[in-house]
Amino acid sequence: MAFDYKKEYKEFYMPKNKPEIVHVPAMIFIAVRGTGNPNEENGAYKKAIGLLYGVAFTIKMSKKGSHEIKGYFDYVVPPLEGFWWQDGVKGIDYTKKADFHWISVIRLPDFVTKEDFDWAVAEAEKKKKEDFSKVEFLTITEGMCVQCMHIGPFDDEPETVARMDRFLLENGYENDFSEERLHHEIYLSDARRVAPEKWKTVIRHPVRPK
């Protein structure tokens, strides 16, 4: 059976819908950076997602080709994630989507090296005849965070964020946003197939003790 990160690391992917503190270790990702409204039809964000999955599935399906990745085991491609920020804003302002900066990512298994990643980018470019130069190999260490499962449309996230902020206030923590520590979302639902009121999104914020 393929290794499923969501099931094996439930503390990072399947939190309860009440805030909790979590310590997140270093992880490696495929990443694409961009700006602008993620809902824009044929916009930069949607193009970035196509690039991410192009590389992600090239690595996953390498077992069927000639490129051998040392330590490879079969796995389920982890969910899409995103780090979000806006200039001059602590956290994010959901009413100003055009001002978003984002890093869209998909987690990679630890056995993937930078050399394997470079091979996958070149292979994806060759097969899809697209420019994959925006795709990065990125290591992120989030450390101490508060997280909560949000159920519902993205525009309703401020209600969940408010609960997270109250939890911090009541338990001796505070938000710790910076250029390196950002608002983080993990998308567990296929928006094309699931009704918005049932979407599941992990919301994670960097924190520190007061």
Side-chain angles (χ1 to χ4, degrees), residues 1 3 22 49 74 91 109 116 142 150 157 163 175 180 189:
M1 184 177 293
F3 187 93
V22 64
I49 292 174
D74 195 20
D116 296 320
E142 290 186 88
H150 171 74
E157 287 184 9
R163 286 196 290 128
N175 286 307
E180 291 78 32
S189 302

Side-chain angles (χ1 to χ4, degrees), residues 56-150:
F57 278 99
T58 298
I59 293 172
K60 174 179 168 57
M61 301 311 294
S62 64
K63 62 183 180 180
K64 294 191 174 182
S66 59
H67 181 84
E68 184 177 344
I69 297 179
K70 186 177 180 181
Y72 180 96
F73 54 79
D74 195 20
Y75 64 98
V76 177
V77 171
L80 180 70
E81 309 182 34
F83 293 88
W84 301 83
W85 73 99
Q86 292 154 321
D87 294 334
V89 178
K90 292 289 186 182
I92 58 173
D93 182 345
Y94 291 80
T95 66
K96 297 180 178 178
K97 295 182 174 65
D99 296 340
F100 276 137
H101 297 262
W102 40 263
I103 308 173
S104 191
V105 303
I106 294 176
R107 184 179 180 179
L108 286 171
D110 290 340
F111 58 70
V112 178
T113 66
K114 178 62 164 58
E115 290 72 26
D116 296 320
F117 168 83
D118 290 342
W119 164 82
V121 170
E123 188 74 3
E125 282 189 333
K126 184 170 66 176
K127 287 186 175 180
K128 295 183 176 293
K129 296 180 171 55
E130 289 183 51
D131 179 10
F132 279 75
S133 61
K134 290 185 177 181
V135 184
E136 301 175 40
F137 183 81
L138 189 62
T139 301
I140 298 174
T141 306
E142 290 186 88
M144 181 185 290
C145 297
V146 62
Q147 67 180 14
C148 186
M149 181 71 79
H150 171 74

